[in-house]
Amino acid sequence: MTITEKVAYLRGLFEGMGVDENTNEGKLFKAVIDVLDDMAYSIADVEDGMDEMSEQIETIDEDLDNLEQDFYGVDEDEEDEEVYEITCPNCGEKICLDFEMLSDGEIECPGCGEHLEFDLDECGCEDCSCCGDEEEK
């Protein structure tokens, strides 16, 4: 039973009780039921708006998923890849890269256009799990 149906039920009870609407109590009950009725319709309007907005958000989310798939080749069902953060030595902007981008060996900084190169063979770590050059002990 919705809120508007419950308020309609209360209105029916009030009218069925035969309360004189000219008494103070009758006027009070009628005013309270009128306020409840207004509130019930307002709540129903808000719920309808939320339902409509939820549908629109769901559509936008689906469109965004399609865009991500087309643009990045990312499928939300895929596991998240490890992300590496580097800082551009020219402008100081932080850039996030996945392993595939890093293994390409070079990118242009999106902030300043500086050409950045990466050499995974010489990453400088002794026990490197990021580039697969683990030292045998």
Side-chain angles (χ1 to χ4, degrees):
M1 188 181 281
T2 66
I3 294 175
T4 52
E5 292 170 335
K6 290 178 182 179
V7 173
Y9 175 75
L10 289 174
R11 184 178 299 282
L13 279 179
F14 173 71
E15 291 171 357
M17 291 173 59
V19 177
D20 185 6
E21 293 181 22
N22 295 323
T23 65
N24 289 337
E25 292 84 10
K27 290 178 185 177
L28 176 65
F29 283 128
K30 182 164 178 18
V32 168
I33 291 173
D34 288 343
V35 169
L36 288 173
D37 199 33
D38 290 344
M39 290 172 59
Y41 282 115
S42 293
I43 290 170
D45 288 345
V46 169
E47 289 174 341
D48 290 343
M50 281 181 37
D51 290 342
E52 187 176 317
M53 197 178 326
S54 291
E55 289 175 16
Q56 290 175 345
I57 289 171
E58 191 172 309
T59 301
I60 290 169
D61 187 46
E62 289 171 3
D63 291 345
L64 182 59
D65 285 344
N66 292 337
L67 270 173
E68 286 176 340
Q69 178 63 35
D70 292 345
F71 190 75
Y72 297 112
V74 173
D75 187 1
E76 72 178 30
D77 295 333
E78 292 178 3
E79 288 187 30
D80 291 334
E81 294 183 22
E82 193 166 342
V83 176
Y84 303 92
E85 185 178 278
I86 63 165
T87 303
C88 175
N90 189 45
C91 68
E93 180 166 338
K94 293 188 184 306
I95 306 166
C96 294
L97 308 170
D98 61 16
F99 184 74
E100 184 179 333
M101 295 168 71
L102 208 59
S103 64
D104 287 344
E106 60 186 18
I107 65 164
E108 279 190 18
C109 174
C112 67
E114 178 79 14
H115 183 78
L116 305 174
E117 294 183 7
F118 313 103
D119 186 3
L120 295 182
D121 292 334
E122 297 179 20
C123 65
C125 56
E126 292 178 21
D127 185 21
C128 186
S129 60
C130 67
C131 65
D133 287 343
E134 294 184 27
E135 259 185 37
E136 292 185 23
K137 297 183 180 183

